[in-house]
Amino acid sequence: MDTLSHAISSGVALPRSSSRSSPLLCHGFGSLNFRTRRTHTRSRVFAEIQRNQSIDFNDPDWKSKFQWNFEERFNIPHLTDVFPDASTIPSTFCLRMRTPVSEHFADGYPSDEEWHGYINNNDRVLLKVIHFSSPTSAGAECIDPNCTWVEQWVHRAGPREKIYFKPEEVKAAIVTCGGLCPGLNDVIRHIVITLEIYGVKNIVGIPFGYRGFSDEGLAEMPLSRKVVQNIHLSGGSLLGVSRGGPPVSKIVDSLKERGINMLFVLGGNGTHAGANAIHDECRARKMRVAIVGVPKTIDNDILMMDKTFGFDTAVEEAQRAINSAYIEAHSAYHGIGIVKLMGRSSGFIAMHASLASGQVDICLIPEVHFNLHGPHGVLRHLKYLIETKGSAVVCVAEGAGQESFVPLNNMFVISRFSHSNFDLLQKTNATDASGNIVFGDIGVHIQQETKKYFREIGVPADVKYIDPTYMIRAVRANASDGILCTVLGQNAVHGAFAGYSGITVGICNTHYAYFPIPEVISHPREVDPNSRMWHRCLTSTGQPDFI
Ligand SMILES: Nc1ncnc2c1ncn2[C@@H]1O[C@H](COP(=O)(O)OP(=O)(O)OP(=O)(O)O)[C@@H](O)[C@H]1O
Ligand SMILES: O=P(O)(O)OC[C@H]1O[C@](O)(CO)[C@@H](O)[C@@H]1O
Ligand SMILES: [Mg+2]
């Protein structure tokens, strides 16, 4: 087993910058959460960690200490942390100068001091916009028991007036890892286009994820506007994706050998953990390299962000499957349609698709425990639906009914193989090449149990199961995701030229921000069972608690 896989499977936390460790806060929690969870929602390791925090709220200065600490944690790493004397040049990104004046920039750079299109490094975006006046308010996220309002600011993304790389000295690489997601090609395309606008000529794609850094016979793919012009018209990734791969040290060796000084990493939490480790290793080796992530997860399970690209498309596409299940169920005598959607740890796709379609009677997500059997179970409710409506549609997220923490670090490995009364499927302990748990098929399980149940009670039921997961993942991005991908791709390049590294870019309260990677991947973002959105979903489906 290579170092990387070993780290994942053994739960060894990846190195973190020591400057980020804090006595006040645990990793990854912008705020303590005092909301009372309903007892049947999934117990969480990190909920416990949250409770153990040691903020002294009797300290009159706790709020300013919290904010100071937050500022520290969300400070974005910069090349000058390691190279204090790193020089800058005026930005070559200026939209008032669209035609490159010189091939080699020998006569200086076409910057325009008068152009008010740059972001000031001190610009900030407000992370939370609701002032919850009580911890019992729906979806409340409070820092102290009184829910005191504390402003939390993150760094605004966008082009800076001074840049830390000369375009002609840049070799930029793009890599896409993990599973597919609508919009990957759109992001690749906009990274390339924006790099070219800065004046970069040497741009390559690394084939098949991190494996492209090590596997024999996988050659770099030269990229240019011409190559990427139409790639957003189809789904998938021009570069290919993969799970697993070489140890971080080997990836960094490869960056060095190839002379890559900007790396754009498109992937989910695993990929970002890798990107952060690459960033740390480059720093340790004093390499002047910018590592910038763009979060890719169809599951929408990255912290802090309004949403990740591909999610809207997935929800839209999921509705087609739900609609087919509805038509099948509605047209059959005692029809029951079951649709399984992606969502390893988080039920965002299932919840949003259920809400959007308006055709779902039962939505099951990993965050909310449920029983299949018993007087309050899903099957008993299906019987009620058949008796009263004549048909029913169930939408289930793949991680529902199974403990599903992603083993990103030792915090989550604790619960990885834990047992709960609400785990419906036998665990296999099998993992994929990246160390992610391979789940049983909850959709098939519910289908089988439903058939068995109706057979046993002597009620005819026509049960149809649809698994559209890979069909959904392979489609091209819709219009709103296309725009999101465009902005994220552009901002990734701006971040690299601005000298930031170990960062990722996301949309936050409709604005775009840079985040230090560890803060967004410390655990998967989940549906809050106390949120208004989940309550809206319950209102829409009319489902009871299955406990
Ligand atoms: N903790 C880690 N440290 C370093 N690299 C990692 C880590 N976890 C995963 N990786 C690497 O990141 C890549 C992608 O990881 P993974 O397969 O988990 O997908 P992901 O980025 O989480 O995307 P998805 O949302 O599709 O699951 C793999 O090459 C894997 O080896
Ligand atoms: O079968 P693959 O390619 O490993 O991908 C499946 C996984 O990808 C995800 O969509 C995350 O990208 C999960 O929901 C799912 O478990
Ligand atoms: Mg993942």
Side-chain angles (χ1 to χ4, degrees), residues 267-530:
N269 40 18
T271 306
H272 274 71
N276 200 55
I278 294 168
H279 157 78
D280 283 342
E281 180 73 14
C282 288
R283 282 192 152 197
R285 296 194 199 179
K286 295 257 182 307
M287 287 165 61
R288 209 173 177 282
V289 178
I291 312 290
V292 177
V294 181
K296 167 231 61 98
T297 154
I298 201 168
D299 296 351
N300 200 27
D301 60 355
I302 299 281
L303 295 170
M304 317 279 167
M305 297 170 188
D306 298 355
K307 61 178 177 182
T308 47
F309 74 82
F311 174 69
D312 270 359
T313 309
V315 170
E316 201 168 293
E317 202 60 23
Q319 282 185 87
R320 294 184 213 278
I322 291 174
N323 189 248
S324 300
Y326 176 82
I327 300 286
E328 282 285 346
H330 203 62
S331 309
Y333 175 57
H334 287 184
I336 296 175
I338 300 165
V339 179
K340 185 184 74 172
L341 299 175
M342 278 184 172
R344 213 195 281 269
S345 319
S346 316
F348 288 104
I349 303 180
M351 175 175 75
H352 282 249
S354 297
L355 262 171
S357 75
Q359 294 173 317
V360 170
D361 300 290
I362 300 175
C363 176
L364 303 172
I365 60 173
E367 295 87 340
V368 179
H369 287 146
F370 59 92
N371 284 312
L372 267 189
H373 298 276
H376 306 294
V378 171
L379 299 173
R380 179 65 190 78
H381 188 59
L382 277 175
K383 176 171 178 273
Y384 165 79
L385 291 170
I386 291 296
E387 285 165 358
T388 52
K389 288 178 62 183
S391 65
V393 175
V394 180
C395 175
V396 58
E398 66 174 312
Q402 301 168 79
E403 282 294 336
S404 57
F405 291 121
V406 179
L408 258 188
N409 56 36
N410 41 12
M411 238 172 9
F412 296 101
V413 170
I414 298 168
S415 68
R416 196 169 143 194
F417 299 120
S418 68
H419 292 279
S420 138
N421 291 339
F422 298 97
D423 286 352
L424 302 181
L425 295 181
Q426 197 67 39
K427 288 190 174 62
T428 61
N429 289 359
T431 54
D432 67 17
S434 294
N436 301 304
I437 300 161
V438 177
F439 285 143
D441 194 326
I442 186 70
V444 169
H445 180 73
I446 292 177
Q447 178 200 26
Q448 287 168 349
E449 292 299 307
T450 304
K451 283 183 176 171
K452 204 166 99 195
Y453 172 78
F454 280 94
R455 210 167 37 239
E456 282 168 8
I457 62 172
V459 175
D462 192 347
V463 186
K464 299 284 193 309
Y465 173 49
I466 300 179
D467 178 351
T469 48
Y470 291 115
M471 295 181 73
I472 290 172
R473 213 167 70 162
V475 302
R476 63 171 281 199
N478 68 8
S480 77
D481 274 327
I483 295 169
L484 180 58
C485 292
T486 302
V487 183
L488 295 176
Q490 292 182 358
N491 277 324
V493 175
H494 295 317
F497 266 103
Y500 296 113
S501 178
I503 62 159
T504 194
V505 56
I507 183 167
C508 179
N509 295 317
T510 72
H511 298 283
Y512 295 88
Y514 294 134
F515 299 88
I517 290 175
E519 293 299 335
V520 300
I521 58 159
S522 58
H523 59 90
R525 186 162 89 99
E526 296 185 336
V527 172
D528 177 359
N530 284 329

Side-chain angles (χ1 to χ4, degrees), residues 116-182:
H116 288 185
Y118 299 115
I119 301 292
N120 188 297
N121 279 342
N122 294 322
D123 287 359
R124 296 287 185 275
V125 173
L126 195 55
L127 186 62
K128 314 245 176 192
V129 288
I130 299 182
H131 177 190
F132 297 101
S133 58
S134 158
T136 56
S137 187
E141 292 174 35
C142 304
I143 294 164
D144 69 326
N146 295 325
C147 254
T148 304
W149 169 247
V150 183
E151 288 168 4
Q152 298 168 57
W153 298 102
V154 292
H155 291 246
R156 186 179 175 203
R160 268 51 176 178
E161 198 171 346
K162 302 275 178 235
I163 57 175
Y164 282 80
F165 291 89
K166 293 186 175 176
E168 65 270 35
E169 292 173 5
V170 169
K171 177 170 180 183
I174 308 172
V175 64
T176 57
C177 315
L180 286 182
C181 179

